Amino acid sequence: MTSPEPVPLALDRQDARRLAIRAQLLTAARPDDVLDIVRHLTFVQLNPTAAIAPSADLVLWSRLGSAYDPDDLTDAVARQRVVDLRGELRVAEDVALFRAEMDAWPGADPSQDWQRGNAVWVADNETFRLDLLEALRADGPLAATDLPDTCVRPWRSSGWLNHQNVTVMLGFLVQRGEVAVSGWEGRTKLWDLASRVYPDQPYPSLDEAWRLRDERRLQSLGIARATGAATPGDPLGVGKAGVPATIDGVRGTWRIEPGLLDEPFEPRAALLSPFDRLLADRKRMVELFEFDYALEMFRPAAKRRWGYYALPVLWGDRLIGKLDATADRAAGLLRIHALHEDEQFVPEVRDVVSAEIDDLARWLGLRIHHDS
């Protein structure tokens, strides 16, 4: 018999924000190991934009400071201790939580037209699929451009993947657990058989894996809704993980990781990647932090409020502004275009934010230059 849910814990917004910040390792008690950070966060998102630095590196620098060496992450990937799974860097042992889902591709209950359509396209191109696997078996790791396109029914879409048959098939083979990213040459992904990249380990059933993933996700977020808007990557919701809670002034019931409530909160400043997990759920960001922010790289320059790749500024348990900066490596400069203060910074806050900007420049090996 299932035990009844406990009475929801009553929190205020500050409680909720501090849960999220503790869970995301953004207090003054900094972690000190790249692998432990990736494991705790469950994943670090990859993104090719590097106006200041690659997002994955910014996420790790935000936790470790200028002691972080990007070669540590590159080495972890090369040693297959961290793997690229669907554009998200995860510790290799966590692939076990996705294996049952891979076995069930295109879904445990493929009721959607797009799921059935994907399965039919792969089945129609069975020879093509086998050709890719054989090429990787014989000569992998290989770049996508080195793989044969023997597709008999080309992939058609209204987007940039139209007729990108190798790219599309590789994506489906990742979902099926047949191929994996084994590393990179520069920005080029190298592909290999999944059996040569992922650990050979037992894995839980589909239902158990989903439950464990919900628990891990809540541990990394601290506080989240049970369900969230659909996303192309990791879900925003955490199902029945944790315990229920309400937040004064915010509608609905949340799920929280209660053990974090008793931990001390030591504030510090942090500059965050636009793709940081603290910000990934934009609805949660607004509800908890009351922070107005959007990534503006796809907006015309004249319509940007904060800049092409503005970094949200965290101080303590508040998001307080945005740093508009660019790494001009040719000139050896970190160009500070603007520091947008949501409310005027008091001297103490200005000092700690300036120190964090100095640390960013030091980590990048650049000199700070203010445009105005």
Side-chain angles (χ1 to χ4, degrees):
M1 183 175 178
T2 304
S3 301
E5 280 270 270
V7 175
L9 297 174
L11 310 178
D12 60 25
R13 273 199 176 96
Q14 184 179 76
D15 294 328
R17 290 194 300 267
R18 291 185 172 189
L19 272 173
I21 292 164
R22 287 189 194 98
Q24 282 288 296
L25 308 178
L26 287 166
T27 65
R30 290 181 183 263
D32 57 11
D33 182 78
V34 167
L35 206 62
D36 287 344
I37 294 173
V38 177
R39 182 179 292 109
H40 178 86
L41 298 182
T42 70
F43 74 90
V44 176
Q45 183 177 341
L46 290 168
N47 186 277
T49 307
I52 296 174
S55 179
D57 289 326
L58 276 174
V59 167
L60 293 168
W61 167 78
S62 292
R63 276 77 183 169
L64 292 166
S66 59
Y68 167 59
D69 185 347
D71 287 343
D72 292 342
L73 181 62
T74 301
D75 180 65
V77 173
R79 296 166 60 193
Q80 297 179 354
R81 301 186 70 186
V82 170
V83 298
D84 174 353
L85 180 60
R86 306 174 193 173
E88 296 167 347
L89 291 177
R90 298 179 181 269
V91 291
E93 62 264 27
D94 279 1
V95 174
L97 300 179
F98 294 83
R99 296 308 293 260
E101 185 177 300
M102 294 170 179
D103 291 346
W105 188 89
D109 180 21
S111 58
Q112 302 296 315
D113 287 344
W114 62 267
Q115 291 176 306
R116 293 192 292 270
N118 292 346
V120 168
W121 186 81
V122 171
D124 288 349
N125 287 294
E126 177 67 3
T127 300
F128 175 33
R129 181 181 76 87
L130 295 175
D131 288 344
L132 291 186
L133 294 176
E134 175 56 25
L136 292 174
R137 185 200 65 77
D139 300 313
L142 294 171
T145 52
D146 296 325
L147 290 167
D149 183 351
T150 57
C151 184
V152 296
R153 182 162 77 83
W155 180 264
R156 291 186 174 86
S157 75
S158 58
W160 70 274
L161 287 175
N162 194 39
H163 286 268
Q164 297 292 313
N165 304 314
V166 171
T167 298
V168 172
M169 182 61 84
L170 286 171
F172 290 144
L173 297 186
V174 168
Q175 294 173 25
R176 290 163 59 102
E178 294 180 295
V179 306
V181 176
S182 68
W184 302 277
E185 284 185 353
R187 292 193 176 187
T188 300
K189 288 185 177 183
L190 299 178
W191 300 88
D192 207 343
L193 299 180
S195 60
R196 298 201 289 231
V197 178
Y198 299 154
D200 182 12
Q201 61 192 127
Y203 53 91
S205 68
L206 189 59
D207 287 345
E208 178 68 1
W210 282 340
R211 183 187 69 78
L212 291 170
R213 282 159 57 181
D214 284 344
E215 290 180 355
R216 291 284 309 286
R217 190 177 308 115
L218 181 58
Q219 288 166 9
S220 76
L221 295 173
I223 180 167
R225 298 280 192 183
T227 59
T231 61
D234 203 59
L236 300 177
V238 296
K240 296 180 179 180
V243 300
T246 59
I247 303 171
D248 185 35
V250 181
R251 296 177 60 184
T253 302
W254 296 72
R255 310 296 298 188
I256 69 166
E257 184 62 35
L260 292 171
L261 285 171
D262 298 327
E263 292 186 6
F265 186 82
E266 303 174 73
R268 72 172 175 92
L271 305 174
L272 305 178
S273 161
F275 300 97
D276 197 285
R277 280 288 270 165
L278 189 70
L279 315 165
D281 185 341
R282 293 296 203 249
K283 185 172 185 289
R284 187 187 81 143
M285 178 189 76
V286 172
E287 289 175 316
L288 301 190
F289 290 89
E290 301 173 281
F291 185 57
D292 187 12
Y293 177 75
L295 180 60
E296 299 181 302
M297 57 192 288
F298 299 112
R299 291 181 180 174
K303 294 186 177 181
R304 293 176 191 145
R305 299 168 63 189
W306 304 301
Y308 176 82
Y309 197 76
L311 305 186
V313 179
L314 175 72
W315 163 240
D317 59 27
R318 300 302 303 263
L319 292 164
I320 60 171
K322 300 92 179 171
L323 174 68
D324 180 14
T326 304
D328 183 349
R329 297 186 181 280
L333 301 175
L334 176 62
R335 297 190 180 276
I336 308 299
H337 310 302
L339 177 58
H340 302 280
E341 303 176 11
D342 289 1
E343 296 180 6
Q344 187 172 5
F345 293 176
V346 299
E348 176 196 4
V349 172
R350 186 167 289 109
D351 288 346
V352 295
V353 171
S354 294
E356 199 67 10
I357 295 171
D358 290 343
D359 191 73
L360 176 62
R362 183 164 48 251
W363 173 61
L364 293 169
L366 303 174
R367 292 178 291 109
I368 291 175
H369 179 274
H370 292 271
D371 283 356
S372 58

